[in-house]
Amino acid sequence: METTSGGYSRLAAEYNWHLRNGELGKCGKDQFLMAAALREEGRRVDELKALMLSFFFGLNGVDSGPAINRSTSKRAAEAFAASGMSFHEMEELYTDTIRQDTVPRPVMLVKDSLYVFEICLEGMFEEADAILVRFMEAPTKR
């Protein structure tokens, strides 16, 4: 199905090309655009999955440094509300979608990133930013 955003299949092909070529900085944006196409198609759970990936890419700074993308978080909250999923189902979807090896050298474990995602869904961005800063400042084990 073609959408005004250019068609999901074209967007998915661009994402896959960027992923295969190690252009992870573009993958988060690709997922964000794919989410918009999925929303137009009424596929709210799939939209939420794409937004989860976009959030995780941004959280791990694959583009310009670790950050909480408020736009992605707000759209994810809308998609979650529209999906009809329970909170527990959303958590399962996140842990099924996001893997520890989704990005090289992630800032935090998947479970920790899920917690940050959840507080962003609640609009608690200052708290999420503070958690991210603590993780970035924590000494790493080598």
Side-chain angles (χ1 to χ4, degrees):
M1 173 179 190
E2 279 296 306
T3 61
T4 58
S5 59
Y8 178 82
S9 57
R10 180 186 60 77
L11 295 168
E14 287 178 18
Y15 167 76
N16 287 324
W17 191 89
H18 290 139
L19 189 62
R20 280 192 312 273
N21 289 288
E23 296 181 30
L24 295 180
K26 295 179 180 178
C27 289
K29 183 178 180 183
D30 292 338
Q31 286 291 334
F32 189 81
L33 295 172
M34 289 164 63
L38 292 164
R39 181 181 188 140
E40 288 179 18
E41 294 174 8
R43 297 171 54 193
R44 301 312 292 266
V45 172
D46 291 329
E47 173 194 7
L48 181 58
K49 285 174 64 172
L51 291 167
M52 288 171 169
L53 281 163
S54 181
F55 178 86
F56 192 74
F57 280 120
L59 185 67
N60 286 284
V62 297
D63 187 24
S64 60
I68 306 291
N69 187 312
R70 284 164 170 67
S71 246
T72 300
S73 300
K74 289 174 184 175
R75 286 205 24 218
E78 292 169 6
F80 174 50
S83 74
M85 298 177 78
S86 71
F87 195 77
H88 178 71
E89 290 170 322
M90 181 276 299
E91 289 178 323
E92 286 183 358
L93 182 66
Y94 190 93
T95 56
D96 287 345
T97 302
I98 308 299
R99 301 287 181 195
Q100 197 59 35
D101 64 353
T102 299
V103 299
R105 297 180 304 273
V107 172
M108 58 185 70
L109 297 174
V110 173
K111 284 288 192 180
D112 296 324
S113 72
L114 171 59
Y115 177 70
V116 174
F117 183 73
E118 290 171 346
I119 63 175
C120 286
L121 291 180
E122 297 294 324
M124 300 168 55
F125 298 115
E126 292 76 24
E127 292 86 344
D129 287 334
I131 292 168
L132 180 56
V133 166
R134 284 195 303 273
F135 269 88
M136 290 172 23
E137 292 174 347
T140 58
K141 296 179 183 176
R142 298 186 197 261

